[in-house]
């Protein structure tokens, strides 16, 4: 049993933390987050050069990491820094289907190399209006004719969908609207005339897009009809990343709040002299440590069998949502009036923490999923 | 014991309801329902209706042009306004300064200001909080120094709601810097916003909205006639207002509105091909909220009814404030949950009246995350819930 | 709108409160609760003489009350005094089916007169092994032959079942095991040779019995096969009574705790000087006021239509369970070590409050029931 | 990072597991599983096995006859004992007094008492708490006044677990009544229970059980040789013990046992004709508990592993204590809920070994309400959760 990071990982952690701390003050972050792209292309290339994208991908894809531990580690720092660059969209959601299904092909290897170098952006267009958090509910249709696949449907809230150089699109080639069988993934050129993108900002910073596909041409990734396991594993990675990101954001928000409680005075003493606030901080601390433990567990079993992987990822994501609400609300409440303002960093952390619950399944969704994958363990 | 309204109260409710249905414009209701930004003109339109009907000063006694309503009637009026989708009545003039002037104002002040409030000629702002003196008003620093027939005011106020719409402001200022206790040296002063030396700067909230402001005072000269009550009597006035009957503090009407909207959303949103409202976990969340609200409505009516019998609600208001904000916040939490991924898109332009674009998801999803974050303020302003608990511990529990 | 008690009810409340306070110290209560009967027959007669039983029954049954308000009022005092005498078993569960279904008959009128005078005890034998909180799940069978009804089955945790002079027994004459149709109520003489009773104590004081019926002879109460509405209304009254009892117990326990916090010192100051305990007391206070409001609402609509009655009763009972756990646990926790001892009254209140959640449906059961009866209100 | 046990640790676990399977009697396991009252003879039987195997002093260093186990091994040992259904090891001699004597005892004390603990010849009780000095040990009043070669002890101890089985007791007593700070005048004293003037009276818990006691001291003469450490050094010793490595403080093993039992019960109990485990609300309650426990197990192992690297867990123990008791209490709460009406019957006689009656409901239901109420103590004893939060606020958060 060993809870310590290896030397390589410790270095990766320190690199990421330092770079984010030094180059990413909150004002610049807001500028990036509110820009048209929703992030900074320059900073993204800097992150890539430091190896933070490659750390999220396995060797066979040209990366140098990609384990659960790597993902948790990088995304904890992403969360701590309130980073809006497209780590999730490009390095997890976009790249992993390529790694898994087509990593060996020359074409994809070139793409992944460009991804790792920060030159190529991806997005996963999977969710649809009404699909909520269901992974299998796909109504977008793909049909083949003369060796050409054409895709039609609507994809919603595609993270960084507007700026992606390639879209990874899920579509149904057979089966009922909620069947796991019959799904396929395609690479779609966003400049295809059958692709219409509509971009918008997200409330916690960054951008997403709704994408309408009308007979858009797609290149299959992996065997059409058998994409569900790839989607499930990709979303498991993304959910772990989101939980780790929430953890990092909570740590930072907790530290800011602690600092505020110690320095801001009211009725002639620091606010933190109030025992109730101290005890509530302790309760936050406990739950953050619980979340950290659960993220570690999910990270360490990300490459395990399906039941274990899904169960532990759902435990972590459930807890991220449950603890997240508590922490976000306490952070605002303990800051008082200034906790409601744009000016401070703390409320932006609160927004990010809460909105992570809307990514890849909320706390209720993952509790149900945990129950489902626990049946065997009873 | 009879938990329903009397015939008279029902008749009153129907009168209010009918009037609102007839007079309140669909345009305004639509803006309120869509959580769009209300302009100064919107508020003025709504206030004008109230003035016309004689209900502007709904909190005041009859002899000053008010309605003389019972607490139950006031409660009904508030509920009906909210249910009808009316904008809120800006309270600073009519509900705050008005009662203060009636109790403490000079005859000249009453004669001048009360009719102007009754006719909605002034837009008052409230200058209480300062940076570093939010819940702790006694530590405020804005100073007013007597110089001839004027006070010279220097300092800063914050959280000044809609000060950018106001032409007047009432402020707590420090006139007795050497008073033995900090709350003894405070006075209550009226000012015009266009007095030289007053500057309003916006504070942007965490959703990026401009609703509150900072107001800076540098060498602002205010005539001594604008002092309300005695010099250094400001604390007494502030406390009078704090204890002033507050029927709406629990926000029952707002929560009922939210719950109704939530139930509709949960019927519309799908989860695995069925309405979200049928999901046992989500249904349980709604039901718990609904039971809390059901109980709170009775709790609120109990306090209102007691006020009608002359029992001033003291610390009970604090209990209602705490529970009321918990319920309101929970309602907005469930709303953002209900729409799943569609809670995330943020289109600030969609909250302007002119916008006729298409929301990424369902129309109703757009304001929900904003509403959730915005509603966090309710447990902070007007004395945070922690302050309210301190008050209850002291006054009801005797600690 | 009027939340005040009428003069008659105020007098009833004062009478009950004074009598219980004066004649019912905690030591005597323990003696009663741990006696073989589980209560004091003498005290029961005193209660009856004061009119506290009659107040729970309507005029047509010879009582002088029986509204929701009367029930809530008396049971709040029963809860406040931690009373173990068979108010629930006799005056609600036993008497109301007779009132509703057979109150007009001469035989039952005599019984009810004796009940009101404290001379006759009743018990409702309805729950069965495995029926949990379901009202319709009855496997006990009744069959008629030659005008004689014979009943066979097992009834479990029958409150005061061992000391009842008459048993009111539910049985099925038709339909599937969980059908609402086909239920009947019978009066059964506990001395019938087909009746075997096994008595035991309850953890919060008082006694109950498991009852085995083997061809026991029963007299129908109301029309056989149509008893479900009577059972439902009776249990609604009992659930309201239980919620009101919980409310009274919580008030008393809260007062004891407040007193303890103010008098017991630690680290040189009263325990109550700890702000965290003050705030937690305030939270208790709020929830108790919420419960009080909900009990009032359920009481005022007990005679309303089925949906309103059941919905509001379930709201109150749900809240009694939810708030009850919070209050009971805080009461023990705030008392510290002595909160764990038999000697103090506070932990006995905590036990009663928690165990009320096991009567007539727990907090989850009533939340579901509330949802069910809210469908029309959406 | 590697969250699983090493090969060596797995081998150790298997060794412990095999030994327990072989040596622990079915009779004892049966009593533990049924929550029956354990007699003094039961504990002695279990202790004798440990003595025989050389694992009695599992917490001690090798040079004093202990096992020298790593924190991870200790953790494994505790988990396996609980999983096997072993009684608890009475900690007062072996886990509390032993380490104190090793650190502070005289050579004579070590020579005499340590072997007797190793061989389970003494049953020690712990005399710390007093009425009015539970969490606040510094205010204790039991006095020890020097008189020739003896201390004369007067006063009262309380919450003395199983003192009615003990032949010896270690006590904190006040020897320096005039010390400038109250914690400076305290000493650590060993006594024999049959010394004249010592009287043990039972305290009955809220379930009516006798597990703890009051111990009264009136003019009890204790030889000066029975002082451990220096006179007035008692506070240092008490604090040493408080910070002494506590691997089991989170009670993960107990909670895992409870969770396993709970899942079985929920599979057996029926709700509307289906297993309760399939009810979405109950399933969600169990799942939330399970996730909390899953997280806490890793949290606990992180602290254990850090201890193995020499990092003494300080305030982390407090975090684990708080969360640990919350989880244990939640587990017992769900168990009593699970059995519905059958939680209510209470048959005190059913918890004696001889009882072979029939429970009113299912066998497993009988101890559940008792277990729920009994488990409330875990957030009170050993420093209440409020005290733990104070400690964390001070030491981890720097308030």
């Amino acid at each position: 049993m060993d809870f310590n990071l290896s030397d390589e990982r410790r270095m990766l952690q320190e690199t990421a933390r330092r770079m984010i701390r030094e180059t990413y003050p909150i004002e610049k972050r807001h500028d990036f987050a509110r820009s048209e792209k929703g992030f900074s292309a320059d900073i993204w290339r800097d992150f890539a050069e430091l190896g933070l994208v490659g750390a999220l991908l396995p060797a066979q894809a040209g990366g140098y990491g990609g384990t659960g531990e790597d993902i948790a580690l990088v995304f904890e720092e992403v969360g701590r820094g309130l980073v809006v660059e497209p780590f999730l969209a490009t390095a997890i959601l976009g790249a992993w289907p390529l790694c898994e299904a087509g990593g060996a092909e020359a074409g994809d290897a070139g793409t992944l190399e460009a991804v790792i170098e920060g030159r190529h952006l991806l997005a996963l267009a999977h969710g649809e209006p009404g699909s909520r958090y269901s992974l299998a509910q796909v109504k977008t249709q793909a049909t083949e004719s003369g060796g050409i696949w054409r895709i039609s449907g609507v994809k919603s809230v595609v993270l960084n969908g507007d700026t992606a150089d390639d879209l990874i699109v899920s579509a149904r080639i057979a089966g009922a609207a909620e069947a796991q069988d019959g799904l396929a993934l395609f690479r779609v050129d966003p400049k295809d005339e059958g692709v219409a993108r509509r971009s918008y900002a997200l409330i916690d910073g960054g951008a997403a897009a709704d994408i309408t596909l009308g007979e858009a041409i797609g290149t299959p990734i992996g065997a059409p009809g058998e994409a569900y396991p790839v989607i499930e594993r990709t979303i498991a990675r993304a959910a772990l990343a989101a939980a780790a990101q929430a953890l990092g954001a909570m740590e930072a928000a907790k530290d800011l709040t602690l600092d505020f409680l110690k320095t801001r005075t009211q009725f002639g003493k620091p606010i933190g002299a109030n025992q109730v606030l101290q005890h509530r901080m302790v309760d936050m601390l406990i739950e953050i440590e619980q979340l950290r433990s659960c993220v570690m567990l999910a990270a360490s079993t990300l490459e395990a069998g399906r039941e274990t992987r899904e169960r532990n990822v759902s435990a972590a994501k459930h807890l991220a949502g449950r603890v997240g609400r508590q922490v976000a609300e306490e952070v605002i409440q303990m800051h008082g009036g200034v906790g409601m303002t744009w000016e401070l960093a703390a409320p932006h952390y609160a927004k990010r923490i809460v909105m992570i619950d809307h990514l890849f399944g909320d706390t209720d969704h993952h509790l149900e999923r945990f129950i489902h994958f626990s049946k065997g363990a009873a | 014991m009879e938990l329903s309204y009397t015939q008279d109260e029902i008749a009153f409710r129907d009168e209010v309801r009918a009037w609102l249905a007839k007079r309140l414009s669909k345009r305004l209701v639509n803006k309120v329902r869509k959580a769009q930004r209300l302009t100064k003109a919107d508020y003025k339109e709504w206030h004008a209706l109230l003035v016309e009907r004689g209900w502007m000063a709904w909190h005041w006694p009859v002899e000053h042009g008010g309605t003389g309503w019972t607490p139950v009637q006031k409660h009904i009026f508030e509920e009906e306004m909210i249910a009808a989708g009316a904008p809120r009545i800006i309270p600073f003039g009519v509900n705050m300064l008005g009662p203060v002037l009636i109790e403490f104002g000079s005859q000249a002040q009453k004669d001048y200001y009360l009719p102007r409030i009754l006719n909605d000629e002034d837009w008052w702002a409230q200058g209480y909080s300062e940076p570093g003196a939010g819940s702790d008003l006694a530590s405020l620093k804005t100073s007013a120094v007597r110089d001839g027939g004027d006070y010279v005011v220097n300092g800063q106020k914050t959280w000044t709601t809609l000060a950018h719409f106001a032409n007047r402001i009432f402020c707590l200022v420090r006139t007795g810097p050497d008073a033995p206790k900090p709350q003894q040296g405070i006075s209550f002063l009226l000012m015009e916003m266009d007095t030289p030396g007053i500057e309003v700067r916006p504070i942007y909230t965490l959703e990026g909205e401009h609703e509150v402001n900072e107001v800076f005072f540098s060498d602002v000269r205010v005539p001594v006639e604008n002092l309300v009550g005695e010099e250094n009597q400001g604390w007494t006035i502030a406390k009078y207002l704090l204890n002033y009957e507050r029927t709406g503090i629990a926000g029952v009407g707002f929560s009922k509105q939210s719950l109704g909207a939530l139930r509709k959303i949960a019927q519309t949103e799908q989860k695995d091909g069925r309405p979200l409202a049928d999901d046992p976990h989500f249904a349980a969340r709604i039901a718990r909220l609904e039971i809390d609200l059901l109980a709170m409505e009775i709790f609120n009516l109990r306090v209102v009814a007691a006020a009608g019998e002359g029992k001033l609600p003291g610390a009970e208001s604090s209990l209602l404030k705490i529970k009321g904000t918990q319920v309101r916040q929970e309602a907005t939490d469930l709303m953002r949950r209900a729409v799943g991924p569609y809670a995330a898109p943020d289109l600030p332009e969609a909250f302007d009246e002119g916008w006729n674009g298409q929301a990424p998801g369902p129309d109703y999803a757009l304001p929900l995350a904003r509403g959730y974050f915005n509603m966090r303020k309710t447990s902070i302003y007007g004395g945070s819930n922690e302050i309210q608990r301190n008050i209850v511990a002291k006054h009801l529990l005797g600690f």
Side-chain angles (χ1 to χ4, degrees), chain B residues 121-395:
Chain B
E121 290 170 63
D122 289 324
W123 187 301
W124 285 93
Q126 180 199 35
Y128 271 26
S129 295
E130 298 184 4
S135 293
D136 176 18
L137 279 182
S139 74
L140 58 86
K141 292 196 179 67
T142 298
S143 67
V145 178
R146 184 73 179 265
D147 180 38
D150 292 337
Y151 287 104
V152 181
V153 178
N154 280 284
Q156 181 191 349
K157 293 292 174 181
T158 192
W159 312 128
T160 321
T161 303
L162 300 181
H164 50 302
F165 291 169
N167 65 318
R168 297 182 190 271
I169 186 169
F170 57 90
C171 288
L172 290 177
V173 293
R174 186 161 298 284
T175 41
D178 306 321
K181 286 185 178 176
Q183 59 269 42
Q184 283 171 355
I186 293 171
S187 296
F188 192 102
L189 215 52
L190 310 179
M191 309 184 204
E192 298 187 38
M193 291 296 285
D194 61 1
T195 318
I198 296 185
E199 189 196 344
V200 176
R201 290 185 208 157
I203 295 174
Y204 292 98
T205 58
L206 50 74
E207 323 101 271
E209 291 297 311
H210 175 202
E211 199 181 15
V212 289
N213 301 274
E214 295 179 293
V215 183
F216 293 83
F217 303 86
S218 57
D219 293 330
V220 177
R221 300 195 75 89
V222 182
V224 170
E225 303 89 78
N226 286 10
L227 178 73
V228 177
E230 310 282 312
E231 194 175 88
N232 297 336
Q233 201 193 4
W235 188 250
T236 310
I237 297 176
K239 270 175 51 185
Y240 171 80
L241 254 189
L242 271 182
N243 288 321
Y244 189 76
E245 178 196 305
R246 288 166 295 178
T247 46
I249 195 162
V252 170
F254 289 109
S255 290
K256 282 163 88 172
Q257 276 293 102
S258 296
L259 182 67
L262 171 63
R263 292 175 98 170
K264 271 193 202 136
I265 292 172
Q267 283 295 344
T268 310
E269 288 289 312
Q270 298 287 303
K271 187 190 163 201
D272 300 328
R274 299 199 57 193
L276 179 62
D278 292 349
D279 174 64
H281 302 294
F282 205 82
R285 286 187 186 271
I286 294 181
R288 275 192 294 267
L289 172 69
E290 196 165 355
I291 290 170
D292 282 346
L293 178 54
L294 212 54
M296 193 177 66
E297 189 175 5
I298 302 290
F299 185 11
N300 191 45
L301 287 172
R302 282 164 50 208
V303 174
V304 168
E309 293 166 15
K311 292 174 210 141
L312 255 195
E316 281 80 8
S317 293
S318 295
L319 298 177
L320 281 173
K321 165 95 200 289
I322 296 168
K323 193 71 204 177
T325 56
Q326 287 171 346
V327 168
R328 284 179 77 172
Q329 291 176 339
E330 181 68 18
T332 58
D333 179 76
L334 295 188
M335 286 209 267
R336 67 147 180 97
R337 280 178 203 275
V339 294
Y342 278 122
D346 189 42
L347 278 74
E349 65 273 21
F351 302 98
D352 283 326
E353 190 174 356
W355 193 74
N356 53 15
Q358 173 70 32
D363 274 352
Y364 53 70
L366 269 184
L368 300 184
R370 286 177 162 245
Y372 164 77
F373 289 111
N374 182 270
M375 211 39 57
R376 305 310 313 163
K377 71 187 176 193
T378 61
S379 51
I380 295 171
Y381 66 26
S384 70
N385 281 9
E386 288 75 22
I387 298 279
Q388 305 295 343
R389 287 193 184 88
N390 287 346
I391 291 172
V392 176
K394 189 171 167 191
H395 295 287

Side-chain angles (χ1 to χ4, degrees), chain A residues 30-353:
Chain A
H30 289 330
D31 290 342
F32 305 156
R34 301 178 106 183
S35 69
E36 192 156 343
K37 284 189 168 173
F39 66 93
S40 157
D42 291 346
I43 293 274
W44 178 246
R45 270 188 299 274
D46 292 347
F47 283 143
E49 268 170 37
L50 267 176
L52 297 187
V53 181
L56 298 168
L57 293 167
Q60 72 267 28
Y64 28 88
T67 66
E69 207 179 332
D70 296 307
I71 292 173
L73 187 151
V74 170
F75 276 91
E76 193 181 328
E77 299 311 317
V78 165
R80 196 189 305 277
L82 220 44
V83 169
V84 287
E85 277 61 42
F87 279 101
L88 257 181
T90 291
I92 304 290
L93 293 166
W96 269 94
L98 296 179
C99 290
E100 290 216 20
E105 289 175 31
D108 286 347
T111 305
L112 289 168
E113 193 184 320
V115 162
I116 287 169
E117 290 171 5
R119 293 182 286 109
H120 198 82
L121 297 174
L122 301 172
L124 177 67
H126 178 54
E128 300 183 358
S131 71
R132 202 171 171 85
Y133 302 123
S134 160
L135 295 186
Q137 223 176 78
V138 173
K139 289 181 182 158
T140 296
Q141 295 284 339
T143 48
E144 195 224 340
S145 168
I148 296 188
W149 286 92
R150 291 190 181 272
I151 305 161
S152 295
V154 179
K155 296 294 184 176
S156 62
V157 200
V158 177
L159 291 179
N160 300 106
D162 200 38
T163 41
D165 300 305
D166 266 324
L167 296 173
I168 314 299
V169 178
S170 64
R172 180 165 296 288
I173 63 167
E178 64 286 343
Q180 294 182 2
D181 285 343
L183 293 180
L185 286 169
F186 297 91
R187 183 204 295 239
V188 173
D189 183 347
K191 292 185 292 293
D192 185 290
E193 61 179 9
V195 176
R197 300 196 274 189
R198 185 227 178 157
S199 176
Y200 41 79
L202 300 176
I203 191 152
D204 57 334
D210 278 17
I211 298 178
T212 306
L213 302 143
E215 306 252 308
I217 295 172
T219 315
I221 302 168
E226 291 162 29
Y228 183 79
V230 175
I231 294 170
E232 189 178 80
R233 281 196 297 272
T234 300
I235 298 299
R237 287 193 166 82
L240 169 66
Q245 192 179 351
L247 171 65
M250 288 183 215
E251 285 167 347
K254 183 255 297 168
D255 290 344
L256 288 173
T257 306
L258 197 53
D259 195 48
F260 184 84
L261 292 182
K262 288 177 182 172
T263 51
R264 181 65 169 264
T265 61
Q266 195 179 60
F267 300 111
K269 52 183 189 180
I271 296 174
N274 284 285
Q275 191 193 27
V276 288
L277 300 186
Q278 294 183 7
H279 279 211
R280 280 157 52 184
M281 281 299 295
V282 172
D283 288 336
M284 271 169 64
L285 195 66
I286 291 171
E287 297 305 324
I288 293 174
E289 288 305 319
Q290 286 280 96
L291 175 59
R292 184 194 315 285
S293 302
C294 222
V295 166
M296 280 179 164
L297 179 65
S300 79
T301 54
L302 191 64
E303 288 85 27
R306 182 184 180 211
E307 301 236 326
T308 304
R309 175 192 73 224
E310 294 296 323
R311 186 168 181 267
N312 289 345
V313 164
S314 280
K317 189 65 172 58
H318 162 75
L319 213 51
R322 173 159 36 118
V323 176
R325 184 183 175 196
Q326 176 187 355
V327 171
E329 295 186 354
E330 286 286 36
V331 161
I332 293 177
Q333 184 71 21
M334 290 193 190
H335 274 84
V338 294
M340 289 297 300
T341 64
W342 186 273
E343 201 187 335
L344 259 67
H348 295 285
Y349 279 101
K351 287 194 288 182
R352 170 58 49 102
I353 292 165

